[in-house]
Amino acid sequence: MPESIVVPDASSYNTAISACDKTGQWHLALSLLNVMPKLRVNPDLISFNSAISACADRWPLALDLARRSRLTPDVVTLNGVISACDKGQEWQLALCFLFGAEVNFRVRPDVISYNAAISSCSKGGRWQAALSLLGAMSLRRLAPNVISFSAAITSCEKGGQWQLALVLLSHMEDADVRPNQISYNSAISACEKAGHWEAALSILSQMRVRPDEISFNACISACEKKGHWELALVLLGQMPQMRVTPGDISCSAVMSALEKGCQWELALVLLGQMPQKAIMPGEICFSAAISACEKGGQWERALSLLSDLRWMRLKPDEISCSSAISACEKCGKWELALLLLSEMPQMRLMPNEVSFGAAISACERAQALL
DNA sequence: CTAGGGTTAG
């Protein structure tokens, strides 16, 4: 019986390249693309577009691929390049590609091109430009969709324009675009970041879709910023009633609120209750609890949490270590502060400004007592 | 299950 040899065709490679994109293995995606011609398989436009997408924030690579393809680019190529600029924090470049698309690529930008460009302006802190793009879409007879509005609302959040975020949210109904959870969550974030917890809670209560964990988490953060730890606890309690399961992030946010309210005991109670609620505390939970102890002058508890964290096979990071060093500093334990600082490299952590700052303060405090 | 866009925590 003759052996049958299966020869992969372009679409097999395309599937593989796409898989590399989804798992963040850009170098593997490029290797696959490079090996195709050697195996007498011609990469097609989908191969290049998938590889461009795999480049993520490496925009020079994405651009190089777009040039090298020698195939006629389509709108997906354009959008992949704009998206690479977006992820690479290059909003000016993103706009150059959007506005130059017809001349340079002979491609007409679509809704996704605009959405990616709005997102890049948002990341670059250019809320005015993001809103101009949203307006320009209608002029170009492109109907903004729920993502266009949500991205524009996010640009308002980044620019501290919470009122504008609310205006955009109400404009969506006029434009016959139904806000989804993400649209509402973006608006809640805008209020949260600007410190308007009342507005954040008002959106939560008026959502026309079921709030999700992120909606609640952003509201909890809004309360946290203004020191309303009681409200943060109330929100956490409301989640199951609304059939939303609180997670690790919800608990971290509540613990931060408790930290601000000097309620370290309650923060530790909450941390202790997490396993019963089937929530696995992550590094950030421990970090929030350590900070709460730091603020409450509980250096022993802070250090014990740091060792619990390692016991749970979580890796301490710069922030949890720095908080523990600060806890020692606040309680006058300068030797312990220095010891922790010196142990950081063994944990493969680079002490940062905060860790050194706390350790230096600890020594200053000791010096003053002499 | 062949390519492009938006949200939360220390």
Side-chain angles (χ1 to χ4, degrees):
Chain A
M1 227 163 81
E3 270 184 37
S4 64
I5 297 172
V6 179
V7 181
D9 58 2
S11 67
S12 320
Y13 279 96
N14 295 350
T15 308
I17 294 172
S18 167
C20 296
D21 173 26
K22 292 187 175 80
T23 54
Q25 298 185 285
W26 60 277
H27 48 282
L28 199 52
L30 294 184
S31 310
L32 281 167
L33 187 70
N34 288 332
V35 87
M36 286 173 78
K38 292 170 194 159
L39 298 171
R40 305 199 169 253
V41 184
N42 280 330
D44 59 15
L45 193 56
I46 296 182
S47 323
F48 277 96
N49 289 347
S50 307
I52 287 171
S53 165
C55 291
D57 62 341
R58 281 160 285 266
W59 58 271
L61 261 178
L63 272 181
D64 185 49
L65 281 178
R67 295 222 172 83
R68 255 175 50 199
S69 78
R70 302 180 143 269
L71 297 164
T72 310
D74 64 0
V75 70
V76 179
T77 319
L78 171 71
N79 295 345
V81 169
I82 296 177
S83 169
C85 298
D86 169 33
K87 296 193 178 93
Q89 319 266 2
E90 294 283 349
W91 63 274
Q92 295 101 324
L93 256 184
L95 291 183
C96 284
F97 284 111
L98 179 74
F99 295 136
E102 257 134 330
V103 173
N104 301 325
F105 284 77
R106 295 184 179 272
V107 167
R108 184 176 137 78
D110 65 5
V111 173
I112 297 182
S113 326
Y114 274 86
N115 291 352
I118 290 173
S119 164
S120 74
C121 292
S122 166
K123 285 199 187 77
R126 308 281 150 165
W127 59 273
Q128 298 98 327
L131 296 187
S132 301
L133 288 175
L134 187 69
M137 290 176 77
S138 310
L139 296 176
R140 306 220 48 186
R141 297 181 180 261
L142 293 170
N145 62 16
V146 64
I147 297 183
S148 325
F149 277 103
S150 303
I153 291 173
T154 298
S155 78
C156 295
E157 178 228 304
K158 301 262 194 299
Q161 305 291 317
W162 65 280
Q163 293 108 325
L164 269 177
L166 293 179
V167 169
L168 279 175
L169 191 64
S170 65
H171 274 5
M172 291 180 75
E173 287 172 11
D174 307 337
D176 228 20
V177 179
R178 274 233 172 106
N180 62 14
Q181 289 171 319
I182 298 183
S183 330
Y184 285 111
N185 293 349
S186 304
I188 292 174
S189 285
C191 299
E192 175 249 314
K193 201 165 180 203
H196 289 269
W197 61 274
E198 300 98 326
L201 292 185
S202 157
I203 297 171
L204 182 72
S205 64
Q206 286 166 29
M207 283 174 70
R208 294 181 165 209
V209 289
R210 184 202 296 277
D212 62 7
E213 194 199 329
I214 296 180
S215 324
F216 275 96
N217 294 350
C219 282
I220 291 171
S221 278
C223 296
E224 177 256 316
K225 283 214 167 48
K226 291 291 168 178
H228 297 296
W229 59 271
E230 300 96 330
L231 262 176
L233 280 173
V234 168
L235 282 168
L236 186 69
Q238 277 176 354
M239 292 176 75
Q241 297 164 24
M242 299 282 287
R243 290 207 240 152
V244 181
T245 311
D248 172 41
I249 297 182
S250 321
C251 296
S252 303
V254 172
M255 280 194 262
S256 288
L258 292 169
E259 176 208 331
K260 275 220 173 62
C262 300
Q263 304 292 323
W264 62 270
E265 297 100 325
L266 281 177
L268 291 183
V269 168
L270 179 57
L271 184 69
Q273 283 173 345
M274 288 177 67
Q276 302 161 27
K277 296 182 182 173
I279 309 170
M280 272 294 275
E283 294 107 28
I284 296 183
C285 266
F286 276 95
S287 193
I290 292 172
S291 293
C293 293
E294 175 210 325
K295 195 154 237 169
Q298 304 292 315
W299 64 275
E300 287 155 302
R301 289 177 211 274
L303 290 181
S304 129
L305 284 170
L306 195 65
S307 69
D308 289 349
L309 190 158
R310 301 174 77 175
W311 210 76
M312 291 194 57
R313 298 201 169 184
L314 294 171
K315 204 178 152 309
D317 64 9
E318 288 80 1
I319 299 179
S320 39
C321 278
S322 302
S323 299
I325 294 174
S326 292
C328 297
E329 181 261 319
K330 285 212 172 60
C331 301
K333 301 284 167 191
W334 64 273
E335 300 98 327
L336 280 173
L338 288 182
L339 184 66
L340 259 177
L341 183 74
S342 70
E343 279 174 353
M344 284 181 74
Q346 294 163 29
M347 297 187 248
R348 304 198 165 206
L349 294 176
M350 206 41 167
N352 58 21
E353 296 87 343
V354 183
S355 1
F356 275 114
I360 291 169
S361 299
C363 298
E364 275 174 357
R365 208 182 265 249
Q367 176 81 15
L369 291 176
L370 290 179

